Amino acid sequence: MSRRVTLRDVAQHVGVSVTTVSNVVRGWPYVADETRHKVQVAVAELGYSPHLIAQSLRTGQMHTLGFIVPDLGNPYFAAMVSVAADIAQEASYSITIFDSQEDAAREAECIQRVTKQLVDGVLVAQVVRGSGADYAQALPVPVVWIDRVPPGYDGPACRINNARVAELAVGHLVALGHRRIAHLGGPVGVGPAEERCDGYARVLAEHGLSYHRVVRAGVDWTCDDGYARMRELLADAEPPTAVFASNDGVAIGAMHAVRDAGLRVPDHISIIGVDDIDVSQHLDPALTTVRQPLHELARAGIELLLKLVHGEAADARQVMLEPTLVVRGSTARPA
């Protein structure tokens, strides 16, 4: 049986210290690019593989992060978890997923379960405003809130500028000439949904538009919600000519409701969503949406958490990322 390749073997092969090799293997950023490349080549050539159990016992770190998400069935959060896992793997960390299933009590249970898991830090996207914050602050490991952040929380967090989401969406519809713009909002109490709903009202007021119609989606924030709520809007004596949906799932359901009513998008009603999930561009018509920088959000959350895990001072404890408007075929000037 051949001898296991060690850090010292790699260090001697490259001509650097064992500490330098260890820093490269652990993904620490403070190594010169040329040296990092030489170490990575040597690791591949010699077939070095870290003994994670021994390493964990020695350092007290398990190289595992926890991630509490509201709903893995939601394409947005499923994609976020996938991206976060890839980014964590780049730093030699794995991720353990906890699904709170859009239930505040279950979220509290997930947070308590984290304390029993061998994790070095936790990402949390909360269910509803105020839930879980006290639990998470009491955890014995670093915590970073991501996407859904408790109101007034000034600790480590990464979020999307949801006020800007509403500005882009409603502003686009106003620029097209729409004056009766309704909002299919997200669940009551969910941070991003509340912020988008507030932004919708503010943009209407800024443009002097008196029409104000909000219908809130259920807790699952799904296509079925969008379909049912759009039927409510279509039953109005004076239906809207445009709809700002709180996410792409709700927007897709709304588009189906318009079609089933014998109407056409965007000829009769323009619809815009939020997220830019993969299916959005493949609809007929393709969905106009506000794209959230999902990859950048996941990377910012993981990198901030790893800095805290490693005992480093974070450059920015509150990271705000900006959305972008993606114009496709589901929006047009009012007939």
Side-chain angles (χ1 to χ4, degrees):
M1 182 175 178
S2 60
R3 184 177 67 85
R4 183 184 182 91
V5 177
T6 66
L7 283 176
R8 187 172 299 281
D9 295 327
V10 177
Q12 289 177 347
H13 184 81
V14 179
V16 297
S17 68
V18 172
T19 300
T20 297
V21 176
S22 176
N23 287 342
V24 172
V25 171
R26 294 168 63 191
W28 283 54
Y30 308 113
V31 179
D33 291 341
E34 182 179 355
T35 301
R36 182 185 304 278
H37 177 69
K38 288 180 179 179
V39 171
Q40 290 171 338
V41 169
V43 165
E45 289 180 348
L46 298 177
Y48 170 76
S49 178
H51 195 299
L52 292 182
I53 295 178
Q55 190 179 73
S56 298
L57 290 173
R58 185 174 64 254
T59 64
Q61 293 185 350
M62 297 305 297
H63 286 263
T64 301
L65 305 175
F67 196 165
I68 302 174
V69 296
D71 182 9
L72 268 179
N74 184 322
Y76 175 77
F77 288 108
M80 182 186 294
V81 167
S82 178
V83 172
D86 288 342
I87 294 170
Q89 188 173 31
E90 294 173 5
S92 300
Y93 280 76
S94 62
I95 287 185
T96 299
I97 308 302
F98 302 84
D99 187 353
S100 60
Q101 299 180 3
E102 295 286 7
D103 183 276
R106 186 180 177 90
E107 178 183 79
E109 292 174 5
C110 288
I111 291 174
Q112 290 179 324
R113 283 171 54 201
V114 168
T115 63
K116 303 175 183 178
Q117 299 290 322
L118 297 176
V119 299
D120 302 314
V122 186
L123 288 175
V124 183
Q126 73 169 170
V127 173
V128 296
R129 286 185 166 190
S131 69
D134 293 337
Y135 290 100
Q137 290 174 11
L139 286 174
V141 295
V143 176
V144 171
W145 292 91
I146 186 168
D147 188 61
R148 300 185 182 184
V149 181
Y153 181 71
D154 60 359
C158 299
R159 70 180 84 202
I160 303 295
N161 187 344
N162 283 293
R164 182 60 177 157
V165 167
E167 290 173 4
L168 290 172
V170 182
H172 169 66
L173 297 173
V174 170
L176 288 173
H178 292 279
R179 295 298 177 264
R180 295 201 311 276
I181 303 168
H183 179 46
L184 293 180
V188 174
V190 173
E194 298 290 359
E195 292 163 4
R196 292 167 195 173
C197 193
D198 292 344
Y200 159 78
R202 184 174 61 256
V203 175
L204 291 183
E206 289 173 352
H207 288 277
L209 301 180
S210 58
Y211 181 95
H212 184 281
R213 182 78 163 92
V214 176
V215 182
R216 303 298 289 261
V219 68
D220 293 330
W221 228 355
T222 62
C223 295
D224 288 343
D225 282 318
Y227 186 93
R229 304 302 177 259
M230 188 70 222
R231 288 178 63 88
E232 291 183 34
L233 291 178
L234 292 173
D236 286 353
E238 190 177 37
T241 63
V243 170
F244 164 38
S246 50
N247 73 2
D248 286 349
V250 171
I252 291 169
M255 291 174 69
H256 280 248
V258 170
R259 180 199 62 192
D260 288 353
L263 304 173
R264 294 187 303 275
V265 175
D267 297 348
H268 297 101
I269 298 179
S270 288
I271 296 178
I272 185 170
V274 181
D275 286 342
D276 196 24
I277 60 176
D278 288 343
V279 71
S280 298
Q281 61 184 312
H282 301 296
L283 302 172
D284 184 20
L287 179 64
T288 295
T289 187
V290 179
R291 176 184 295 148
Q292 302 200 73
L294 184 60
H295 188 280
E296 292 83 352
L297 180 66
R299 177 172 292 279
I302 292 292
E303 290 182 347
L304 178 55
L305 183 57
L306 287 177
K307 282 187 175 182
L308 299 175
V309 167
H310 294 153
E312 301 176 43
D315 297 330
R317 293 175 65 86
Q318 291 271 335
V319 179
M320 179 79 79
L321 298 176
E322 298 298 325
T324 54
L325 177 67
V326 181
V327 179
R328 299 192 179 109
S330 68
T331 53
R333 297 188 63 81

